[in-house]
Amino acid sequence: MDTEQDLETRLDHVFESIATAARRAGRRPEEVLLVAVSKTVPAERIAMLARLGVRCFGENRVEEAAEKLPAVASLLGHTAFGTLRWCLVGHLQSRKAARAVQLFDQIHTVDSIGLAVRLDRLAAAQGRVLPVLVEVNISGEEAKYGLAAGGWPEAVEQSAALYDAIEALLEQPHLSVQGLMTVAPLAANAEAVRPVFRRLRRLRDDLARRYPAQPWTHLSMGMSDDYQVAIEEGATMIRLGRAVFGPR
Ligand SMILES: *Cc1c(COP(=O)(O)O)cnc(C)c1O
C-alpha cells in the first residue's frame, strides 16, 4: 500500500502538470479543479489525500460511496470531512437517485430528462438546489452514456433533440446546471481525443449563447491519460484516478 509520501509525490507531479498545461493555454492553474476519483480506493487512502489538502473527490458507484464516506468521516473527524466535496462521476440509475442525493454534493452525470425530473423532486424534498453537470456523449460511441451529440451541430434533427433535452433539464427548479461533462474514448495517445474535448467546449459555448441565464462555468473532462490536453481545451474540472492514487 502507498505511504503518504508516495501519494504526496504523485500529487506534486499532478499539480506541476496542471500548471504547465494551463500556462501553455494562457490559463491560470487555479481555474482547474482536481477531482480525485477514488473508486476502488480504500477509505484510509482517501483520508490520507484529504490530509494532503485535496478537497474534491469523485466516486462512480453509489453503493461504494455509501460504504466509504462514513468511513472517511470517522477517519478525518466530522469537521474536516465537512470541508470535502463529493461528486458522482459514474452513471446514475434512477432507482439509486435518492441515495445519490443524500451522499453527493454534485452530480456530473445527468444524462436523461427522466433522471433530471427525479433528482429535482428529491432535491426539492430536501429543500436544496442540487448542482449538476449534463453528461454528453460527444464521441457517439454506443456504449457511452450521455445525451447524444455525435451529430451536433450538422445533423439538424439530433441537434434539435439535444436542445430540447437541455431545455427540459434547465426547467427543473431544484437543479442548478453548471456545465457539461464527457468521457472521452480510450485512445492510444492523448492527442487523439483532443477533438472530443474541443467539441464539448464548442457545445458549451453554443449553449451559453442560447441559454445565457445559466452560468455554464464547468467543463468536466480529462482523466489520468489525457488531462493536459483537456486543460489546453478548456477543462475546469479534471477527474483523476490513477494519476493520483496509482494503478487500480
Ligand atoms: C475512473 C474514472 C475516472 C478516472 O480514471 P483514471 O483513468 O484513473 O484517471 C474519471 N472519470 C470517470 C467517469 C471514471 O469512471
Side-chain angles (χ1 to χ4, degrees), residues 68-90:
K68 287 196 306 194
L69 267 59
V72 177
S74 62
L75 287 164
L76 288 176
H78 283 271
T79 309
F81 182 78
T83 67
L84 303 184
R85 279 179 61 207
W86 295 88
C87 301
L88 180 66
V89 300

PDB file of all heavy atoms in Angstrom, residues 68-90:
ATOM      1  N   LYS A  68     -18.112   3.926   1.871  1.00  0.00           N
ATOM      2  CA  LYS A  68     -16.828   4.547   2.204  1.00  0.00           C
ATOM      3  C   LYS A  68     -16.950   5.922   2.850  1.00  0.00           C
ATOM      4  O   LYS A  68     -16.112   6.284   3.680  1.00  0.00           O
ATOM      5  CB  LYS A  68     -15.960   4.654   0.938  1.00  0.00           C
ATOM      6  CG  LYS A  68     -15.407   3.303   0.507  1.00  0.00           C
ATOM      7  CD  LYS A  68     -14.273   3.421  -0.481  1.00  0.00           C
ATOM      8  CE  LYS A  68     -14.646   4.245  -1.669  1.00  0.00           C
ATOM      9  NZ  LYS A  68     -13.702   4.106  -2.789  1.00  0.00           N
ATOM     10  N   LEU A  69     -17.958   6.703   2.485  1.00  0.00           N
ATOM     11  CA  LEU A  69     -17.996   8.073   3.013  1.00  0.00           C
ATOM     12  C   LEU A  69     -18.063   8.119   4.544  1.00  0.00           C
ATOM     13  O   LEU A  69     -17.310   8.882   5.162  1.00  0.00           O
ATOM     14  CB  LEU A  69     -19.137   8.877   2.371  1.00  0.00           C
ATOM     15  CG  LEU A  69     -18.720   9.674   1.130  1.00  0.00           C
ATOM     16  CD1 LEU A  69     -18.170   8.804   0.030  1.00  0.00           C
ATOM     17  CD2 LEU A  69     -19.859  10.534   0.623  1.00  0.00           C
ATOM     18  N   PRO A  70     -18.904   7.281   5.175  1.00  0.00           N
ATOM     19  CA  PRO A  70     -18.898   7.292   6.646  1.00  0.00           C
ATOM     20  C   PRO A  70     -17.537   6.872   7.215  1.00  0.00           C
ATOM     21  O   PRO A  70     -17.104   7.403   8.250  1.00  0.00           O
ATOM     22  CB  PRO A  70     -19.980   6.260   7.006  1.00  0.00           C
ATOM     23  CG  PRO A  70     -20.847   6.170   5.797  1.00  0.00           C
ATOM     24  CD  PRO A  70     -19.954   6.401   4.631  1.00  0.00           C
ATOM     25  N   ALA A  71     -16.848   5.953   6.527  1.00  0.00           N
ATOM     26  CA  ALA A  71     -15.527   5.518   6.995  1.00  0.00           C
ATOM     27  C   ALA A  71     -14.522   6.666   6.899  1.00  0.00           C
ATOM     28  O   ALA A  71     -13.718   6.884   7.810  1.00  0.00           O
ATOM     29  CB  ALA A  71     -15.053   4.315   6.183  1.00  0.00           C
ATOM     30  N   VAL A  72     -14.589   7.419   5.801  1.00  0.00           N
ATOM     31  CA  VAL A  72     -13.703   8.590   5.659  1.00  0.00           C
ATOM     32  C   VAL A  72     -14.027   9.620   6.732  1.00  0.00           C
ATOM     33  O   VAL A  72     -13.127  10.198   7.353  1.00  0.00           O
ATOM     34  CB  VAL A  72     -13.832   9.218   4.248  1.00  0.00           C
ATOM     35  CG1 VAL A  72     -12.977  10.480   4.131  1.00  0.00           C
ATOM     36  CG2 VAL A  72     -13.435   8.216   3.159  1.00  0.00           C
ATOM     37  N   ALA A  73     -15.311   9.801   6.990  1.00  0.00           N
ATOM     38  CA  ALA A  73     -15.730  10.778   8.013  1.00  0.00           C
ATOM     39  C   ALA A  73     -15.178  10.405   9.378  1.00  0.00           C
ATOM     40  O   ALA A  73     -14.690  11.262  10.120  1.00  0.00           O
ATOM     41  CB  ALA A  73     -17.255  10.872   8.061  1.00  0.00           C
ATOM     42  N   SER A  74     -15.204   9.107   9.711  1.00  0.00           N
ATOM     43  CA  SER A  74     -14.722   8.758  11.055  1.00  0.00           C
ATOM     44  C   SER A  74     -13.202   8.825  11.125  1.00  0.00           C
ATOM     45  O   SER A  74     -12.642   9.098  12.185  1.00  0.00           O
ATOM     46  CB  SER A  74     -15.283   7.418  11.536  1.00  0.00           C
ATOM     47  OG  SER A  74     -14.874   6.397  10.691  1.00  0.00           O
ATOM     48  N   LEU A  75     -12.511   8.615   9.986  1.00  0.00           N
ATOM     49  CA  LEU A  75     -11.045   8.761   9.995  1.00  0.00           C
ATOM     50  C   LEU A  75     -10.625  10.223  10.141  1.00  0.00           C
ATOM     51  O   LEU A  75      -9.653  10.533  10.825  1.00  0.00           O
ATOM     52  CB  LEU A  75     -10.442   8.191   8.697  1.00  0.00           C
ATOM     53  CG  LEU A  75     -10.429   6.666   8.576  1.00  0.00           C
ATOM     54  CD1 LEU A  75     -10.192   6.255   7.126  1.00  0.00           C
ATOM     55  CD2 LEU A  75      -9.338   6.082   9.471  1.00  0.00           C
ATOM     56  N   LEU A  76     -11.352  11.115   9.471  1.00  0.00           N
ATOM     57  CA  LEU A  76     -10.937  12.532   9.442  1.00  0.00           C
ATOM     58  C   LEU A  76     -11.540  13.346  10.585  1.00  0.00           C
ATOM     59  O   LEU A  76     -11.020  14.404  10.935  1.00  0.00           O
ATOM     60  CB  LEU A  76     -11.380  13.185   8.126  1.00  0.00           C
ATOM     61  CG  LEU A  76     -10.637  12.780   6.852  1.00  0.00           C
ATOM     62  CD1 LEU A  76     -11.280  13.461   5.652  1.00  0.00           C
ATOM     63  CD2 LEU A  76      -9.153  13.123   6.934  1.00  0.00           C
ATOM     64  N   GLY A  77     -12.633  12.856  11.114  1.00  0.00           N
ATOM     65  CA  GLY A  77     -13.423  13.684  12.034  1.00  0.00           C
ATOM     66  C   GLY A  77     -14.428  14.481  11.216  1.00  0.00           C
ATOM     67  O   GLY A  77     -14.179  14.808  10.048  1.00  0.00           O
ATOM     68  N   HIS A  78     -15.570  14.791  11.827  1.00  0.00           N
ATOM     69  CA  HIS A  78     -16.656  15.358  11.030  1.00  0.00           C
ATOM     70  C   HIS A  78     -16.398  16.790  10.558  1.00  0.00           C
ATOM     71  O   HIS A  78     -16.898  17.201   9.524  1.00  0.00           O
ATOM     72  CB  HIS A  78     -17.983  15.237  11.788  1.00  0.00           C
ATOM     73  CG  HIS A  78     -18.512  13.839  11.709  1.00  0.00           C
ATOM     74  ND1 HIS A  78     -19.341  13.413  10.695  1.00  0.00           N
ATOM     75  CD2 HIS A  78     -18.254  12.744  12.465  1.00  0.00           C
ATOM     76  CE1 HIS A  78     -19.592  12.121  10.838  1.00  0.00           C
ATOM     77  NE2 HIS A  78     -18.946  11.689  11.912  1.00  0.00           N
ATOM     78  N   THR A  79     -15.594  17.532  11.308  1.00  0.00           N
ATOM     79  CA  THR A  79     -15.308  18.902  10.873  1.00  0.00           C
ATOM     80  C   THR A  79     -14.507  18.905   9.580  1.00  0.00           C
ATOM     81  O   THR A  79     -14.861  19.566   8.604  1.00  0.00           O
ATOM     82  CB  THR A  79     -14.547  19.669  11.972  1.00  0.00           C
ATOM     83  OG1 THR A  79     -15.269  19.518  13.191  1.00  0.00           O
ATOM     84  CG2 THR A  79     -14.419  21.135  11.618  1.00  0.00           C
ATOM     85  N   ALA A  80     -13.417  18.129   9.554  1.00  0.00           N
ATOM     86  CA  ALA A  80     -12.591  18.062   8.339  1.00  0.00           C
ATOM     87  C   ALA A  80     -13.381  17.426   7.194  1.00  0.00           C
ATOM     88  O   ALA A  80     -13.326  17.878   6.049  1.00  0.00           O
ATOM     89  CB  ALA A  80     -11.319  17.268   8.610  1.00  0.00           C
ATOM     90  N   PHE A  81     -14.153  16.391   7.510  1.00  0.00           N
ATOM     91  CA  PHE A  81     -14.959  15.731   6.471  1.00  0.00           C
ATOM     92  C   PHE A  81     -15.927  16.720   5.835  1.00  0.00           C
ATOM     93  O   PHE A  81     -16.171  16.687   4.628  1.00  0.00           O
ATOM     94  CB  PHE A  81     -15.724  14.549   7.063  1.00  0.00           C
ATOM     95  CG  PHE A  81     -16.535  13.793   6.056  1.00  0.00           C
ATOM     96  CD1 PHE A  81     -15.926  12.900   5.185  1.00  0.00           C
ATOM     97  CD2 PHE A  81     -17.914  13.987   5.959  1.00  0.00           C
ATOM     98  CE1 PHE A  81     -16.668  12.208   4.236  1.00  0.00           C
ATOM     99  CE2 PHE A  81     -18.660  13.296   5.015  1.00  0.00           C
ATOM    100  CZ  PHE A  81     -18.042  12.409   4.157  1.00  0.00           C
ATOM    101  N   GLY A  82     -16.451  17.619   6.652  1.00  0.00           N
ATOM    102  CA  GLY A  82     -17.408  18.607   6.166  1.00  0.00           C
ATOM    103  C   GLY A  82     -16.840  19.586   5.151  1.00  0.00           C
ATOM    104  O   GLY A  82     -17.587  20.244   4.435  1.00  0.00           O
ATOM    105  N   THR A  83     -15.524  19.674   5.068  1.00  0.00           N
ATOM    106  CA  THR A  83     -14.915  20.578   4.085  1.00  0.00           C
ATOM    107  C   THR A  83     -14.708  19.888   2.734  1.00  0.00           C
ATOM    108  O   THR A  83     -14.286  20.525   1.776  1.00  0.00           O
ATOM    109  CB  THR A  83     -13.551  21.119   4.569  1.00  0.00           C
ATOM    110  OG1 THR A  83     -12.621  20.032   4.636  1.00  0.00           O
ATOM    111  CG2 THR A  83     -13.657  21.782   5.930  1.00  0.00           C
ATOM    112  N   LEU A  84     -14.973  18.586   2.670  1.00  0.00           N
ATOM    113  CA  LEU A  84     -14.789  17.864   1.403  1.00  0.00           C
ATOM    114  C   LEU A  84     -16.026  17.990   0.532  1.00  0.00           C
ATOM    115  O   LEU A  84     -17.137  18.172   1.018  1.00  0.00           O
ATOM    116  CB  LEU A  84     -14.516  16.378   1.670  1.00  0.00           C
ATOM    117  CG  LEU A  84     -13.329  16.044   2.562  1.00  0.00           C
ATOM    118  CD1 LEU A  84     -13.149  14.527   2.638  1.00  0.00           C
ATOM    119  CD2 LEU A  84     -12.055  16.707   2.053  1.00  0.00           C
ATOM    120  N   ARG A  85     -15.815  17.893  -0.776  1.00  0.00           N
ATOM    121  CA  ARG A  85     -16.943  17.853  -1.713  1.00  0.00           C
ATOM    122  C   ARG A  85     -16.902  16.552  -2.484  1.00  0.00           C
ATOM    123  O   ARG A  85     -15.845  16.142  -2.952  1.00  0.00           O
ATOM    124  CB  ARG A  85     -16.854  19.028  -2.704  1.00  0.00           C
ATOM    125  CG  ARG A  85     -17.389  20.335  -2.134  1.00  0.00           C
ATOM    126  CD  ARG A  85     -17.231  21.436  -3.154  1.00  0.00           C
ATOM    127  NE  ARG A  85     -17.963  21.160  -4.382  1.00  0.00           N
ATOM    128  CZ  ARG A  85     -17.624  21.636  -5.572  1.00  0.00           C
ATOM    129  NH1 ARG A  85     -16.565  22.384  -5.694  1.00  0.00           N
ATOM    130  NH2 ARG A  85     -18.353  21.364  -6.627  1.00  0.00           N
ATOM    131  N   TRP A  86     -18.048  15.928  -2.621  1.00  0.00           N
ATOM    132  CA  TRP A  86     -18.135  14.630  -3.290  1.00  0.00           C
ATOM    133  C   TRP A  86     -18.943  14.750  -4.576  1.00  0.00           C
ATOM    134  O   TRP A  86     -20.070  15.236  -4.560  1.00  0.00           O
ATOM    135  CB  TRP A  86     -18.778  13.604  -2.352  1.00  0.00           C
ATOM    136  CG  TRP A  86     -17.916  13.343  -1.161  1.00  0.00           C
ATOM    137  CD1 TRP A  86     -17.912  14.037   0.017  1.00  0.00           C
ATOM    138  CD2 TRP A  86     -16.884  12.359  -1.050  1.00  0.00           C
ATOM    139  NE1 TRP A  86     -16.953  13.524   0.848  1.00  0.00           N
ATOM    140  CE2 TRP A  86     -16.302  12.502   0.228  1.00  0.00           C
ATOM    141  CE3 TRP A  86     -16.388  11.365  -1.912  1.00  0.00           C
ATOM    142  CZ2 TRP A  86     -15.259  11.690   0.671  1.00  0.00           C
ATOM    143  CZ3 TRP A  86     -15.355  10.561  -1.469  1.00  0.00           C
ATOM    144  CH2 TRP A  86     -14.800  10.719  -0.196  1.00  0.00           C
ATOM    145  N   CYS A  87     -18.336  14.283  -5.659  1.00  0.00           N
ATOM    146  CA  CYS A  87     -19.012  14.314  -6.962  1.00  0.00           C
ATOM    147  C   CYS A  87     -19.302  12.889  -7.408  1.00  0.00           C
ATOM    148  O   CYS A  87     -18.437  12.019  -7.291  1.00  0.00           O
ATOM    149  CB  CYS A  87     -18.113  14.933  -8.031  1.00  0.00           C
ATOM    150  SG  CYS A  87     -17.595  16.595  -7.679  1.00  0.00           S
ATOM    151  N   LEU A  88     -20.489  12.671  -7.933  1.00  0.00           N
ATOM    152  CA  LEU A  88     -20.764  11.397  -8.596  1.00  0.00           C
ATOM    153  C   LEU A  88     -20.345  11.540 -10.051  1.00  0.00           C
ATOM    154  O   LEU A  88     -20.856  12.408 -10.770  1.00  0.00           O
ATOM    155  CB  LEU A  88     -22.246  11.031  -8.496  1.00  0.00           C
ATOM    156  CG  LEU A  88     -22.592   9.694  -9.179  1.00  0.00           C
ATOM    157  CD1 LEU A  88     -21.947   8.514  -8.462  1.00  0.00           C
ATOM    158  CD2 LEU A  88     -24.103   9.492  -9.252  1.00  0.00           C
ATOM    159  N   VAL A  89     -19.403  10.689 -10.490  1.00  0.00           N
ATOM    160  CA  VAL A  89     -18.900  10.795 -11.866  1.00  0.00           C
ATOM    161  C   VAL A  89     -19.309   9.601 -12.722  1.00  0.00           C
ATOM    162  O   VAL A  89     -19.014   9.551 -13.914  1.00  0.00           O
ATOM    163  CB  VAL A  89     -17.357  10.983 -11.901  1.00  0.00           C
ATOM    164  CG1 VAL A  89     -16.956  12.261 -11.154  1.00  0.00           C
ATOM    165  CG2 VAL A  89     -16.619   9.768 -11.338  1.00  0.00           C
ATOM    166  N   GLY A  90     -19.974   8.605 -12.113  1.00  0.00           N
ATOM    167  CA  GLY A  90     -20.420   7.435 -12.879  1.00  0.00           C
ATOM    168  C   GLY A  90     -21.904   7.523 -13.182  1.00  0.00           C
ATOM    169  O   GLY A  90     -22.633   8.345 -12.607  1.00  0.00           O
TER     170      GLY A  90
END
